């Protein structure tokens, strides 16, 4: 049985229309194009190799479950470093805070 991360990676690659190369395919080093998008196993993918990363990206970008995983798990964790959040309304941007004169602003009017 394979590691859960490898199983998940394979599922994401398959959703994206590809296939993870088997050890036999890796050892044969066949240059015959089968018409199917193949990528390296996760443990052999080298992030420094732009060609490998691009090939994996072309498949993984089409995987709905990978996108959902990123948006629901990874992205929120990456955003927790901010202590303060900035926000502004159209009235703030178009008001006198930033500029003395505003010409043609179509936001919410000041009352």
């Amino acid at each position: 049985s394979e590691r859960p991360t490898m199983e998940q990676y394979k599922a994401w690659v398959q959703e994206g229309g590809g296939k993870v190369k088997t050890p036999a395919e890796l050892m044969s080093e066949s240059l015959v194009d089968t018409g199917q998008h193949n990528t390296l196993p996760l443990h052999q993918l080298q992030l420094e190799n732009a060609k490998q990363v691009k090939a994996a990206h072309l498949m993984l970008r089409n995987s709905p479950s990978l996108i959902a995983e990123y948006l629901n798990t990874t992205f929120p964790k990456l955003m927790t470093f901010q202590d303060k959040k900035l926000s502004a309304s159209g009235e703030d941007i178009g008001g006198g805070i930033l500029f003395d004169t505003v010409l043609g602003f179509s936001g919410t009017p000041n009352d």
Side-chain angles (χ1 to χ4, degrees), residues 70 73-82:
Y70 179 80
T73 305
T74 307
F75 184 70
K77 288 179 185 176
L78 293 174
M79 296 307 295
T80 59
F81 70 90
Q82 295 184 7

Side-chain angles (χ1 to χ4, degrees), residues 37-99:
H37 300 287
N38 293 321
T39 190
L40 291 170
L42 185 59
H43 68 280
Q44 291 186 340
L45 188 64
Q46 297 175 6
L47 297 179
E48 301 82 25
N49 185 319
K51 186 176 178 181
Q52 290 178 6
V53 171
K54 183 175 181 176
H57 175 258
L58 289 174
M59 283 179 281
L60 295 175
R61 70 181 182 176
N62 297 318
S63 169
S65 63
L66 172 62
I67 295 166
E69 175 74 19
Y70 179 80
L71 291 176
N72 295 323
T73 305
T74 307
F75 184 70
K77 288 179 185 176
L78 293 174
M79 296 307 295
T80 59
F81 70 90
Q82 295 184 7
D83 294 332
K84 297 179 183 178
K85 303 222 184 270
L86 300 175
S87 66
S89 67
E91 186 174 348
D92 293 332
I93 295 170
I97 295 172
L98 296 177
F99 305 103

Side-chain angles (χ1 to χ4, degrees), residues 8-20 39 59-60:
Q8 186 64 63
Y9 175 70
K10 279 184 172 181
W12 289 337
V13 168
Q14 288 174 348
E15 278 185 353
K19 178 181 174 288
V20 176
T39 190
M59 283 179 281
L60 295 175

